[in-house]
Amino acid sequence: RVKKQKQHQQKHSGPKAEKKKLKKQEIPTEKDERKRNPRAFAVQSAVRMAKTFHRAQDIKAKKHHIPVVDRTPLEPPPVVIVVAGPPKVGKSTLIRCLIKNFTRQKLGDICGPVTIVSGKKRRLTFMECNNDINTMIDLAKVADLVLMLIDASFGFEMETFEFLNICQVHGFPRIMGVLTHLDSFKNKKTLRKTKKNLKHRFWTEVYQGAKLFYLSGMVYGEYQTQEVKNLGRFISVMKFRPLVWQTSHPYVLVDRMEDLTDPERIRTDPKCDRTVSLYGFLRGTLLKNRGQVHIPGVGDFQVSEVNFLPDPCPLPHGQKKRALNEKERMLYAPMAGVGGVVYDKDAVYIDVPTSHIIQQEQTRPTTELVQSLIDTHATLDVKMAASKVSLFSNSAVLEPTDMEEPERELVWDPSTQRERRRVVFTEEEEEEEEAASGSSDEEHHDCDKAEQEEENSLATFLKEARSDCGKKGAAPPAKKQKVEKTEAELPAFANSEDELEMSEDDDDVETAGGYSGRLVKKPTRSESDEDDQGVSTGSYSFLKCLLVQHLCIIHLSVDLWENLQLKASQAFLQQQEEAPNLRKLVYGSADEEEPMEELGGLFRISRPQKNRRFGANAVDCSRFLPDSFYTWDLQEMLNSIRDCFVTGKWEEDQDAATQLKEDDELYGDFEDLETGEVHKQQQDQAEEMLKEVEEDAEEIEKKTRLEKKRRLKQRFDAEYDDGEDTYFDDLKEMMQKQAELNRAEFEGVDDETRVQYEGFRPGMYIRLEIPSLPCEFVSNFDPHYPIILGGLGSSEGNVGYLQMRLKKHRWYDRILKTRDPLILSLGWRRFQTVPLYHMEDHNGRHRLLKYTPQHMHCGASIWGPITPQGSGFLAVQSVAGTKANFRIAATGVVLDLDKSVTIVKKLKLIGYPYKIFKNTCFIKGMFNTLLEVAKFEGASVRTVSGVRGQIKKALSTPPGAYRATFEDRLLMSDIVFLRSWYPVSVPQLYNPVTSLLLPLGQKDTWTGMRTLGQLKHDLGIRNKPNTDSLYKPVTRAPRRFNPLRIPKELQKALPFKSKLKQQQPKGKTTRDLQRATVIREPHERKVAALLHALGTVHYYRTKKARTKQRAKHKEFLQQKEAQEEAKLKRQKEARKKLYRVMGQTDQKKQRSSLRGALQD
């Protein structure tokens, strides 16, 4: 049995245990590890460390960019998100899904910009980009983010690459790819491979690592919620790099347009220019009032007025919270018919769609008065004319025809800016009212009081009547019989619709239910349904007269002997409140009431104190006017003033003596200022406090010393150490300070004043009024095409010469020809112009090119709008329709803005010699006059054979002939030519593309000036070639050259090898040297013929044997070569095997030697 090992007992006390406890409490840092085990952190490989360091520095350097001043406002404008892609790829569906994800609302047709609140600090504006290249170009200039939709089942289409190239030219905003139609793949392997190929091709075009989203499939016509939510999260947190063109120019993506032209002018002249107001969020930089703007697709215009309006889609303000509530998830799309409230300069428009009205009818709002006003179908005049009234149960029925209609007068109210109808009563009616009201001060009012009561509110009257009806249950107010109110509390009817708002804050009045039982006949069902459907001012006059004439009789006949004590008290209070109308006593007429203040023609400022007869500033303000009569016998009245008196004993914690004692213990010693007596606290407490004060003083002194040391060390480090701050960090800090200065400059200034100093800042919702817009802009308006207002700089409204660097796009299938019209997108503009292409030679000459070079940059000169240097541009040959080929013809950049560059083309003048004198010749046919020759005196000429010469002087005859000298003698057959450079002027053509003025459905059919080839093709003209340019067979006469003659003197001076070897002419051969002619015999001829035949056969056989031997030798050489190759291969394998064995042997020896060394 193995004995169990004793378990180790840890120390719980002592120095070791304390050390271990300290180790556990302290968190080991990397510094401590390095100190304890330095070898573990030593450099293992210098090469690997250098590579790691270089890689880290490369990554750090790639993140560096030129810092720019942060000019983004506190409330930035909405981020413009352009959804682009080929047709039928799912652009509208994606926008609808994103809007539903952010705002929980569904949107039908996507028309124009759609602005939503996506978070606490970000708003988004979605814009769909159709297949028109004009729309692509315009939206690429204002986009902050591009969602590039790609049909994965088809692959990349031309529209995708066209839009990417447009974005690259105009600043390259952030681009995110979205793959759709992935549910069409049934095989997972194919889907994975397709995703990979598309992703890498997308990275090639944008940048390595560009984000590509996958929308796998659709559920009920929408993309999957989780995928859309992930895409929305990426959009919400994405950061945007400021683009140079956007940050240096103000621009507005218009989301609403209104025609302000006088309708009468449009009726008389339908083709007149229109005055239009355009609305949208200002982006870019500050916009000055009355500046010049360019509308792409329309032209340049002067802005007559700019105003800022309340933000229709504001960011949520308030306490910090994680998410937005439903009210803050706003959606604003006026062109799509969404956004109920629309602000203007002087009005607010509320759009109530019919669907909302139907919904309100189903839910029935609590305010029945508003619902009844909305549902009105007949005016109150019509209803009152059909109604009948009986004052008593057995009295005769009164009709409207029995009462004379009072006169009305129209009065202009300056506060509400409209005519108001005042009711004027006749003198007889006033006398009848006075007679009916009587002279008793206790029970009746005078005429002035009756006029005051007539100004009360109809809204309050109807509301209280309905509230009483609701309290009683289902009983209607017409059933109430008892009248308990005096004449002072009678209901009055509003004079106009505006007085409905005036009287809401007035004192409460009794409902109409107390009078309806005796005054109004119970209406029929049809009348009761329409009883309260409208408010009409003049219709109440009839009912007013009846009430004023007969109300006192009703009061006396019913309530004469009831509640005498209550009536007496009310009469007393009423008499106290009444005051004589001094104006009426002195001037004989009552003072008119001041008109109420109005806000915007909709809301009225209600001032309750103004309607009260008495106030603090009244004429007799010393009188005490009790508000109401109180009954002090009631228990409720006694309880209301119980707190004003002290009775009984206080509770222990609320007793004054106890609280003073606690204060004494809390605050210690104090001195009584009245008696001068000093109350001391206990001695030990004083000592403790003194000790605490001393400790605090020591702590403060210690902190002061440490702070002083820290400042000294920081100053020393700054003076003697370079520090880790680089130039890049200093530059960023400087830009940050500049941004803070910019923000602090106008921080406390209100918007009205600030706009006058610095202009309208980005983020504001502004309204721009532009006069003299073409009528086609309004009549052919299509919300699916974007309207952009691009602000122009001080000199960008001018037109002049521009020098550019241009390169034909590598995917465009044709080269570009000089003087062919080209459509350029430069700055905000799209225009057609005629470029001249040229190349700069080594001597600075700008030589005209007939065509653009392949795969090379060349210069281009145009006549167009002045645009800042460094601005990119792109060129297309046509914007009409869609083509299968790539549409972008060229891209480039603006270099210079002046006319100093002179473009020249080569011009060859040809002449022919007609007289030759050694090295001097007379040339004709090159010029026509003496003056032309005089201009070219001293010019260099050359012959086709390469002989150089110079023009000397003009000859008198023939005209245009001149004398020239050459370096050698010419021949009559030589052709002399003069190479000259002729300056070419740039054609002044600037034709803006006005695609937005075309009719609906034809906005992508704009055609400007056609090329010469298009004109000939359209007109059916065949090109007639120049006869001189045709190829002809060259017929040259044989030339006879004279023999070479060398002078004898020159022959003597030549060396022997260069002298002419002239042989003597042969004489006649002597007879003895002549050879005799041999004549063969017939037998000899036969022998010779036989020998020749045998020789021929032998030659043939020898030749055949030689050919056979050569073939055999060739085959032998091939076999030998194959054997040599096999031999070399065997030798190579043997060498490899040998080297391998030798290497292993060396390694064994090395290991054994190392082992022996270690043992030693």
Side-chain angles (χ1 to χ4, degrees), residues 80-93:
V80 179
I81 300 177
V82 174
V83 183
K88 302 295 181 184
V89 81
K91 299 188 289 290
S92 303
T93 309

Side-chain angles (χ1 to χ4, degrees), residues 1098-1114:
H1098 176 72
Y1099 173 74
Y1100 177 74
R1101 284 179 180 173
T1102 309
K1103 186 177 179 183
K1104 189 175 179 182
R1106 198 182 300 122
T1107 306
K1108 191 175 180 181
Q1109 180 63 25
R1110 283 177 183 169
K1112 197 173 180 181
H1113 185 66
K1114 191 174 181 181

Side-chain angles (χ1 to χ4, degrees), residues 218-222:
M218 301 186 76
V219 180
Y220 299 117
E222 294 181 352

Side-chain angles (χ1 to χ4, degrees), residues 784-825:
H784 293 90
Y785 284 80
I787 300 174
I788 298 166
L789 270 76
L792 301 177
S794 56
S795 63
E796 291 177 21
N798 302 327
V799 183
Y801 291 99
L802 293 173
Q803 312 299 327
M804 302 172 165
R805 185 171 64 241
L806 176 138
K807 183 182 180 184
K808 186 191 81 69
H809 203 284
R810 65 185 186 278
W811 290 350
Y812 195 67
D813 54 352
R814 306 181 67 181
I815 57 174
L816 305 178
K817 186 180 178 182
T818 291
R819 294 184 182 274
D820 267 0
L822 206 61
I823 297 171
L824 297 184
S825 168

Side-chain angles (χ1 to χ4, degrees), residues 711-979:
R711 284 202 302 268
L712 285 170
K713 187 176 185 303
Q714 190 175 0
R715 194 184 307 165
F716 180 82
D717 291 344
E719 190 171 350
Y720 291 100
D721 294 349
D722 292 337
E724 295 184 359
D725 288 345
T726 60
Y727 171 72
F728 181 70
D729 297 329
D730 296 339
L731 201 58
K732 277 171 66 175
E733 187 180 353
M734 187 175 70
M735 295 296 180
Q736 184 68 24
K737 286 180 181 177
Q738 184 63 45
E740 289 173 2
L741 279 173
N742 293 347
R743 285 200 184 96
E745 182 68 26
F746 293 101
E747 197 168 5
V749 185
D750 61 308
D751 286 343
E752 290 286 351
T753 312
R754 189 171 175 178
V755 159
Q756 295 176 6
Y757 282 105
E758 64 172 356
F760 297 87
R761 64 183 181 277
M764 283 184 163
Y765 190 77
I766 61 171
R767 169 187 182 273
L768 297 96
E769 188 173 318
I770 301 177
S772 66
L773 267 171
C775 63
E776 292 83 5
F777 176 74
V778 178
S779 58
N780 299 333
F781 176 70
D782 188 356
H784 293 90
Y785 284 80
I787 300 174
I788 298 166
L789 270 76
L792 301 177
S794 56
S795 63
E796 291 177 21
N798 302 327
V799 183
Y801 291 99
L802 293 173
Q803 312 299 327
M804 302 172 165
R805 185 171 64 241
L806 176 138
K807 183 182 180 184
K808 186 191 81 69
H809 203 284
R810 65 185 186 278
W811 290 350
Y812 195 67
D813 54 352
R814 306 181 67 181
I815 57 174
L816 305 178
K817 186 180 178 182
T818 291
R819 294 184 182 274
D820 267 0
L822 206 61
I823 297 171
L824 297 184
S825 168
L826 178 61
W828 297 121
R829 297 177 169 90
R830 288 180 277 116
F831 59 94
Q832 191 179 41
T833 186
V834 175
L836 295 184
Y837 307 121
H838 53 84
M839 188 74 78
E840 186 175 2
D841 292 335
H842 62 280
N843 56 0
R845 181 193 297 123
H846 291 271
R847 180 166 43 87
L848 183 73
L849 298 176
K850 192 173 184 182
Y851 299 100
T852 54
Q854 291 276 10
H855 315 298
M856 274 181 63
H857 286 89
C858 68
S861 295
I862 65 163
W863 171 265
I866 301 297
T867 311
Q869 297 175 359
S871 302
F873 72 91
L874 66 91
V876 292
Q877 280 205 319
S878 173
V879 294
T882 55
K883 299 176 181 177
N885 297 328
F886 197 70
R887 287 183 285 186
I888 297 173
T891 57
V893 68
V894 177
L895 295 179
D896 211 351
L897 305 174
D898 59 353
K899 200 186 171 184
S900 60
V901 175
T902 303
I903 304 169
V904 293
K905 71 174 182 179
K906 189 161 58 176
L907 180 66
K908 285 185 177 178
L909 304 175
I910 300 172
Y912 305 95
Y914 68 95
K915 277 187 182 180
I916 300 172
F917 308 96
K918 290 190 176 180
N919 290 0
T920 302
C921 289
F922 290 172
I923 311 294
K924 65 176 182 180
M926 187 176 287
F927 301 109
N928 295 321
T929 60
L930 290 172
L931 186 61
E932 290 180 4
V933 178
K935 288 270 251 180
F936 283 89
E937 281 185 3
S940 299
V941 291
R942 206 178 71 168
T943 64
V944 177
S945 56
V947 181
R948 293 171 297 184
Q950 189 179 23
I951 298 175
K952 289 299 183 182
K953 200 169 183 181
L955 301 175
S956 57
T957 55
Y962 62 89
R963 176 173 58 87
T965 58
F966 294 89
E967 59 187 6
D968 197 3
R969 181 185 173 89
L970 296 189
L971 301 176
M972 292 297 289
S973 60
D974 277 332
I975 299 174
V976 181
F977 65 90
L978 169 69
R979 191 174 68 171

Side-chain angles (χ1 to χ4, degrees), residues 294-538:
H294 177 80
I295 304 177
V298 185
D300 291 1
F301 298 98
Q302 193 80 21
V303 178
S304 63
E305 187 180 3
V306 184
N307 309 101
F308 66 91
L309 303 176
D311 200 330
C313 194
L315 286 170
H317 297 284
Q319 70 273 16
K320 292 182 179 178
K321 49 191 173 181
R322 285 177 63 86
L324 305 177
N325 56 33
E326 290 301 323
K327 286 185 179 179
E328 292 167 345
R329 296 177 183 275
M330 296 193 67
L331 170 63
Y332 183 68
M335 289 187 184
V338 180
V341 180
V342 175
Y343 294 91
D344 202 350
K345 182 177 67 171
D346 51 2
V348 181
Y349 301 99
I350 301 175
D351 181 21
V352 183
T354 54
S355 59
H356 291 190
I357 296 173
I358 294 167
Q359 186 179 359
Q360 286 177 4
E361 288 177 356
Q362 293 170 358
T363 56
R364 302 302 297 178
T366 54
T367 310
E368 295 183 11
L369 177 62
V370 178
Q371 184 62 32
S372 65
L373 292 176
I374 292 173
D375 295 340
T376 300
H377 298 291
T379 60
L380 200 59
D381 292 331
V382 178
K383 298 176 199 170
M384 292 299 294
S387 63
K388 299 178 182 180
V389 178
S390 61
L391 295 178
F392 303 102
S393 57
N394 297 324
S395 62
V397 176
L398 295 177
E399 295 183 1
T401 54
D402 298 337
M403 296 299 297
E404 186 177 353
E405 189 73 24
E407 296 179 359
R408 302 182 180 92
E409 75 175 317
L410 296 175
V411 179
W412 176 259
D413 190 353
S415 61
T416 59
Q417 297 292 316
R418 66 186 185 85
E419 290 183 340
R420 305 180 68 169
R421 297 181 292 174
R422 184 191 300 280
V423 177
V424 182
F425 294 96
T426 59
E427 295 179 1
E428 296 176 0
E429 289 173 345
E430 290 179 359
E431 290 173 3
E432 288 177 5
E433 286 174 8
E434 291 174 3
S437 62
S439 60
S440 175
D441 291 334
E442 294 179 0
E443 295 180 1
H444 308 290
H445 292 277
D446 57 3
C447 294
D448 188 58
K449 184 66 179 177
E451 289 175 8
Q452 178 195 356
E453 291 298 323
E454 286 173 11
E455 294 171 3
N456 289 329
S457 170
L458 175 63
T460 312
F461 165 57
L462 292 175
K463 182 168 68 177
E464 292 185 2
R466 288 188 178 87
S467 64
D468 284 353
C469 177
K471 289 175 185 177
K472 301 287 182 186
K479 298 287 181 71
K480 190 171 180 181
Q481 299 291 332
K482 192 173 181 180
V483 180
E484 295 180 358
K485 295 291 176 182
T486 60
E487 192 180 351
E489 295 174 342
L490 287 177
F493 295 89
N495 233 356
S496 68
E497 293 176 358
D498 294 328
E499 290 181 6
L500 293 176
E501 293 115 12
M502 286 169 56
S503 58
E504 285 183 4
D505 292 327
D506 292 349
D507 297 332
D508 294 333
V509 295
E510 183 59 28
T511 64
Y515 310 97
S516 58
R518 290 189 177 89
L519 289 177
V520 185
K521 177 183 176 182
K522 184 176 179 180
T524 62
R525 179 166 181 175
S526 61
E527 291 173 354
S528 62
D529 290 342
E530 300 175 354
D531 188 52
D532 53 348
Q533 291 185 356
V535 179
S536 177
T537 305

